[in-house]
Amino acid sequence: MAAFRPLNSAPSSAEYLKATLSAPVYEAAIVTPLQEMTKISERLENTILVKREDRQPVHSFKLRGAYTMIAGLTPEQKAKGVVTASAGNHAQGVALSANRMGVKALIVMPVATADIKVDAVRQFGGEALLYGANFDEAKAKAIALSEEMGYTFVPPFDHPAVIAGQATLAMELLQQDVHLDRIFVPVGGGGLIAGVAVLIKQLMPEIKIIGVEAEDAACLKAALKAGHPVELARVGLFAEGVAVKRIGDETFRLCQKYVDDVITVDSDEICAAVKDLFEDVRAIAEPSGALALAGLKKYVEEHQIKGERLAHVLSGANVNFHGLRYVSERCELGEKREALFAVTIPEQKGSFLRFCQILGQRVVTEFNYRYSDADPENARIFVGVRLSQGLQERKEILRELTVAGYQVADLSDDEMAKLHVRYMVGGRPNKPLKERLFSFEFPESSGALMKFLKTLGTYWNITLFHYRSHGTDYGRVLVAFELPETEGRFERHLDALGYEYHDETGNPSFQLFLSPQTTSLVVE
């Protein structure tokens, strides 16, 4: 086995370079290809290259860091075994690495972890222990077991050996293309971008390193603004591979020193990038795996970059198959190729035809309507339109409909409309209600609904309920209750429930399509 000397808590850049060169990752990992994406290169007028870490034995880059750290343990540490907490790619990297070296590996995973991930850990030789409702509880259990049983805890990102292992990816990039102008790297806890940045800046400092974060999990951006790591109040779980509340201490030290810029993207932009990867190189990326490409596209547009060689890391492909339905539904919005509108048209024969004539040759992707005797003179429709010219065309449609005398509201950026209302149009109650609307994030586990109903459903009348599975580890649920505007007891029960929630009563898409009160459209 190759010699690998353990690093201290804050190694110099030269020490990181030496550790990366001696990291024994290729005893388990492979050199992944750097592949040109010809279609998107032509579209963006740059040469776009993708580093295919989805080709690794565990289908993600995490194997590099896990193997490097475990390889550097003493014989005594290896004999006792290792433990970690993860619901995804790091778990599989630790399991395979330990198995290759004959080391016992215990992986603590939240109870709600999808079976496909638990099975993968076991197939790679790890022992899976399901514990806790979320990652933080699983991590606390793993650390407790390490202290109790003498296992070595293998962190997912904030450790010099893990960072050095991830840096081997950057070494490959330079060997595969020395003419790169920028490298776009996904950011969760920061292990990958810290390793890439510290190595690239020692050898070719003119190459720019751009971090890409999900808007709802931007812990590096928050830390850079504060000047030190900070903990986010909450993180979104769509791109679960980067759903980290706090950047690591060592990873932040390196990012602050070596990373050139950071950009954030939303879920729709990530979905569009998943589609781009499939159409160009036939790769099926998990959301966090497509994060860097989403950031690259947005960065090129914002900075008007032309004629450069731009690389991005496809960091993982451990996608839940059922989650692809959500990606498919949202990618058109992420590409700015679809717009959603609420439009009021006369409740009379020929109205739909006249409305479509104004749209001209544009393709209607969705049309939802149901007659309501609450307003027999007017029909309120939910309509989707395919765009060929992005935001400019969206504004043009709004103008054309307004000039034609229609009341219209643009719902293209309304998250509740995209997640729930488009599937519920026509659901107005036939009598006035004192109603409040809330969105919840349910854990996708047995008993989650029962807990909700026992905590809230037996005290207040539920007047609306919508849930649609997207194959993720949590569910997004929309619920309305019949209750007065202020009800202190209700808020106390919400807090006791322990689920993430938001009051959506004032949301325009709810008022337009589902509320018992009639609301005038607001022209955007």
Side-chain angles (χ1 to χ4, degrees), residues 30-35 50-55 172 176:
I30 65 169
V31 176
T32 55
L34 182 65
Q35 186 174 1
V50 54
K51 182 64 170 163
R52 296 290 302 274
E53 285 299 287
D54 59 310
R55 298 283 189 88
E172 292 175 18
Q176 291 166 327

Side-chain angles (χ1 to χ4, degrees), residues 13-33:
S13 57
E15 288 175 313
Y16 266 117
L17 178 58
K18 185 176 180 180
T20 301
L21 291 171
S22 63
V25 297
Y26 301 108
E27 294 169 3
I30 65 169
V31 176
T32 55

